Amino acid sequence: MATDLVNPDFAAFARSFGAHGERVESTAAFGDALERALAAEGPALLELVCDPEALTPRQSLSEARAQGERAAAS
């Protein structure tokens, strides 16, 4: 999580071992990918691509840094 890894391609790695492997790049694509993973016979891996700025659904890394800077300044 929160890395700039270019390799490995985790979905391809899973497929190379006979598992269902799929890369999911958007929230909209998740539902269909999950259905395919659940329907797969055997193990399945979904690689979920997340914005490295996203710390939580409600706060980004930049927002957390700014909040820390404001707290340190006061």
Side-chain angles (χ1 to χ4, degrees):
M1 170 151 186
T3 67
D4 291 327
L5 287 177
V6 176
N7 287 318
D9 177 335
F10 294 106
F13 194 58
R15 290 190 302 270
S16 75
F17 286 97
H20 172 85
E22 196 166 337
R23 180 179 169 102
V24 180
E25 298 190 23
S26 70
T27 302
F30 178 76
D32 290 338
L34 179 60
E35 290 297 322
R36 289 188 293 273
L38 292 172
E41 292 187 20
L45 175 135
L46 294 178
E47 178 183 1
L48 306 178
V49 180
C50 301
D51 182 350
E53 268 287 303
L55 291 179
T56 72
R58 296 187 177 150
Q59 188 174 40
S60 70
L61 180 57
S62 297
E63 291 168 340
R65 283 184 179 144
Q67 182 179 5
E69 289 169 1
R70 285 192 301 272
S74 55

